[in-house]
Amino acid sequence: MTITITAFERSPDGGQGMARDMRVRWALEEVGQPYDVRLLSFKAMKEPAHLALHPFGQIPTYEEGDLALFESGAIVFHIAERHAGLLPDDPNARARAITWMFAALNTVESPIVDREVAEYLEGDETWYEQRLPFIDGRIRKRLGELSGRLGNADWLDGAFSAADLLMVTVLRRLEGSAILEEYPNLSGYVARGKARPAYRRAFDAQPAVFTAAPTG
Ligand SMILES: N[C@@H](CCC(=O)N[C@@H](CS)C(=O)NCC(=O)O)C(=O)O
């Protein structure tokens, strides 16, 4: 059955792969599943046809036969459950990998997204300069903890898994801020993820069209 995902018609980051369809593309490349991409304008994302697939009018979505999913984490989890290669077979190792998937999206991504929102939407506010150090402090706290746990390991818990795929895409959102470079093992971790052939294929497949709009 054909898999179809949605992505921005015009990538606000100019094709840097920061939008969350990149996670889904990468997961599909890791498990060797071909997919089609339906590109959407910002207007089309808020229209009934897309809202029927995604209640919040965002990308990415995932369609396969009768199944329609939204939320990048849920989509990556679905792909990892249906195809070998992104979750360990051992039940305990699998549960730990799933735990790290939640950690990436709930615990690490949240302050990073706060920083993006502040930059995009609050940059002109009088209190912006005072707020940024607080957000960066929350990010550094999480990165310090993550860095301590990763140590010298290649991946979060044994072999590369969907947890690493999500965590790498989350940490990538800090590219350009110089914060990530304060944690050399995390920079190396992101570089390892980006060096995977499946990542390269996914990155090269996403369109590089610039608009000034924020990714949200
Ligand atoms: N938690 C959602 C977030 C989805 C999201 O924020 N998508 C962004 C692109 S990365 C989007 O569609 N932004 C445009 C908008 O919200 O109007 C997920 O992980 O899929």
Side-chain angles (χ1 to χ4, degrees):
M1 237 173 307
T2 307
I3 294 170
T4 303
I5 68 167
T6 51
F8 286 135
E9 181 182 65
R10 296 165 72 81
S11 171
D13 64 18
Q16 291 309 299
M18 295 300 178
R20 291 171 177 84
D21 59 292
M22 180 61 198
R23 302 165 177 182
V24 176
R25 292 171 186 269
W26 186 6
L28 288 167
E29 292 288 352
E30 288 283 352
V31 301
Q33 284 297 305
Y35 59 98
D36 289 341
V37 184
R38 190 166 62 251
L39 299 177
L40 295 174
S41 66
F42 278 88
K43 182 170 174 289
M45 286 163 57
K46 310 301 175 194
E47 286 173 353
H50 186 66
L51 287 171
L53 293 174
H54 196 308
F56 308 113
Q58 297 181 312
I59 59 99
T61 57
Y62 174 103
E63 292 156 80
E64 185 179 14
D66 292 340
L67 178 66
L69 298 174
F70 62 97
E71 283 295 334
S72 59
I75 297 170
V76 169
F77 183 43
H78 171 78
I79 295 166
E81 283 217 304
R82 291 294 191 281
H83 306 280
L86 280 175
L87 281 174
D89 291 333
D90 173 73
N92 285 356
R94 195 176 181 92
R96 288 196 305 274
I98 294 166
T99 299
W100 275 113
M101 292 174 73
F102 277 87
L105 301 181
N106 285 354
T107 306
V108 181
E109 187 166 49
S110 303
I112 296 175
V113 169
D114 284 351
R115 188 179 208 279
E116 292 173 353
V117 171
E119 278 181 338
Y120 288 135
L121 301 181
E122 300 166 355
D124 293 335
E125 302 290 346
T126 50
W127 35 262
Y128 170 73
E129 294 295 340
Q130 286 165 297
R131 177 161 150 74
L132 202 55
F134 285 104
I135 300 176
D136 285 352
R138 287 172 52 223
I139 294 174
R140 286 193 173 90
K141 180 170 188 313
R142 288 295 175 240
L143 295 195
E145 292 157 346
L146 183 64
S147 170
R149 174 55 80 100
L150 182 67
N152 294 323
D154 278 354
W155 307 115
L156 288 168
D157 192 324
F160 175 84
S161 76
D164 298 296
L165 185 152
L166 289 178
M167 191 67 85
V168 166
T169 60
V170 164
L171 294 177
R172 270 210 66 209
R173 301 184 82 88
L174 286 168
E175 282 177 7
S177 74
I179 296 179
L180 193 60
E181 284 65 40
E182 295 170 26
Y183 306 87
N185 66 336
L186 295 184
S187 298
Y189 173 66
V190 171
R192 264 191 301 286
K194 290 169 66 174
R196 292 179 70 85
Y199 177 95
R200 294 302 333 159
R201 287 195 298 275
F203 187 90
D204 291 344
Q206 41 107 40
V209 185
F210 178 79
T211 77
T215 51

